[in-house]
Amino acid sequence: MSNDRIHRFHTSVSGIELPAQFTFPFHYVPHPLAVAAAGEVMRYVATRVEWRHELQAGKMLGVLVVTGDNGLGYLAAFSGNLCHSNDWDYFVPPVYDLLQPRGEFRRGEAAITHLNHVIAQLEHDGQAAACQRRIEELEMQCRVHVAQWKSTMRASKQLRDAMRANGSLKPQQEQALIAESQYQKAELKRIKRASAREIDAERARLEEHESRVAQLKQRRKTMSEALQERIFRLFVVSNARGERKDLVDVFSSYYGCKRLPPAGTGECCGPKLLQYAYGHHLQPVCMAEFWYGRSPVGEVRHHGHYYPACQSKCRPLLDFMLQGLDVESNPLAQPSAETVDGERLDIVYDDPWIMVVDKPAGMPTVPGKQCAVSLLDRLRQLLPQATGPLVVHRLDQMTSGLVLVAKTKEVHKELQRQFAEHSIKKRYTAVVAGQVQGETGVIDLPLRPDIDDRPRQLVDPRHGKPAVTRWKVIKRGHDGTTRIAFYPLTGRTHQLRVHASHPGGLNAPIVGDMLYGTAGSRLCLHAESIAFVHPVTHKEVTVESKAKF
């Protein structure tokens, strides 16, 4: 393979069989060939001194194992750009080079940058602030003038009242007093109108200035959206059938209406790798993306760990680009061996009002976008006479363990109240990859959804919701793992998984965690115990189910 973008394996892979199907990039265990390729890439990039600083700060890298006329090899890619360039030797080139000096993006960016300077000058030229100060001064002057005139009017009225109290006013004098009162009232109105005219004139100047800035910002937005669409039209991708589409058409077809992709679409590893393979008549075999360097603030990324492709940018794009390949099924859409439809649910507790079931790993608690049979589907079959929503709380699809079920609407409402008041106590068992420091502790890391890559969660002290977990070491394994008991004090999505993986938590991902650690045969997280006050008998009930890992 003479092409410097297509690499032969330096390590022996002769004993590794090719996969029967191509990688499903959104949930996978990396194939040994992809692992071997990733290892070679990591060793190579460590030798490139000019990349060292940026790579150590953290970067997503990817590999695509391919076959071609010269046999088996692999391609490598980085997400975004690297050291101010998106086209380096060794890595595949971008789908479209945004950084071309005279390219469409640079020209459009220059026009928008010029507009930014104009807006910044207007916002900082002091005119708006001066107008605002002048308005405040005029309003103060008006208040003072009005107050002084009203004081004069009160003094005049007191004098008129005293003169009238004497009872010796002649008709001409009474008319003079009335005229004085009318004049003072009219003068007060004139003072207010004159002040209002000055203030309105100053406000008009301020509004004119602000309107000009707003118009320029709207123009900038229109230019930015138009540039974005022009750029996305230049990102033309292929699939294994030989079909070609630009990114706007890809996203519009996926969503069923015209839709612009998010910024950065087409610059991730997966699309770059597949586009290069198709363009050079290479057959994709398997793919993997992995993190190199430090974890970003707020995110959970570990050096050398493999991660799925992102959802917001890559899901529609790879959905098109993988057409024509024999791709593995989405494991989240398929019932696992534990969740075959018709299999009897493991009922751990049952009475006329409440049931507690042991949900298998891989079964979603409620129906979702995927076609896998959910726990709620099974419960509706099992309890056709039940009223209300049945499921009181949820577990992640890949988490196994105890789920509380209410057979009546009234019981469901009462148990929900207990959850809202945090009076229901839960204990989870997990096996984490690493020797945890300490024996017990509390993790307090606020969480929010990653809007660009749902369902991933981010640690965000400013915008995140409170998420607190107590933990205790149960056992330390000889294989470098630690068995942990988790006691969640709040119930955020992926709370235990992020708190385990994040450097501010245990810094030890749960074994088998595809999103925050390394994929495995299953996620080693089990809801082992739940304690609540029975809504009917008012007795405390504790239910337990030991983990099967």
Side-chain angles (χ1 to χ4, degrees), residues 29-157:
V29 175
H31 188 271
L33 286 172
V35 173
E40 292 193 2
V41 171
M42 284 193 280
R43 287 190 291 274
Y44 173 78
V45 299
T47 68
R48 296 291 293 260
V49 177
E50 69 270 41
W51 300 341
R52 185 171 299 165
H53 178 73
E54 186 167 331
L55 287 177
Q56 286 178 346
K59 174 71 70 176
M60 190 69 78
L61 304 179
V63 291
L64 175 66
V65 178
V66 295
T67 57
D69 293 339
N70 295 317
L72 189 68
Y74 64 88
L75 308 173
F78 53 84
S79 179
N81 61 69
L82 178 61
C83 295
H84 310 293
S85 175
N86 53 20
D87 191 5
W88 287 93
D89 60 343
Y90 188 81
F91 291 110
V92 298
V95 176
Y96 171 76
D97 189 356
L98 287 172
L99 303 182
Q100 295 176 44
R102 298 181 181 178
E104 179 72 23
F105 177 73
R106 288 299 198 195
R107 294 198 305 272
E109 184 184 46
I112 293 172
T113 299
H114 172 72
L115 200 54
N116 284 336
H117 290 322
V118 174
I119 292 170
Q121 287 176 349
L122 287 173
E123 288 183 326
H124 297 94
D125 65 1
Q127 183 177 338
C131 285
Q132 189 61 50
R133 285 195 302 272
R134 179 60 178 157
I135 290 169
E136 292 171 0
E137 290 171 1
L138 290 171
E139 288 175 339
M140 177 60 73
Q141 290 173 9
C142 177
R143 287 193 293 270
V144 170
H145 197 176
V146 167
Q148 290 174 341
W149 189 251
K150 284 183 176 180
S151 177
T152 299
M153 290 174 67
R154 284 193 296 272
S156 298
K157 185 176 185 305

Side-chain angles (χ1 to χ4, degrees), residues 14 37 50 96 98 150 156 168 193 343-344 365 380 466 491:
S14 58
E50 69 270 41
Y96 171 76
L98 287 172
K150 284 183 176 180
S156 298
S168 59
R193 283 198 298 268
E343 181 185 353
R344 184 177 63 85
T365 306
R380 283 172 174 159

Side-chain angles (χ1 to χ4, degrees), residues 51 65 102 159 204 314 335 382 387 401 410 412 471 539:
W51 300 341
V65 178
R102 298 181 181 178
L159 184 58
C314 288
L382 187 65
T387 62
E410 294 74 21
H412 184 276
W471 61 272
K539 294 180 179 179

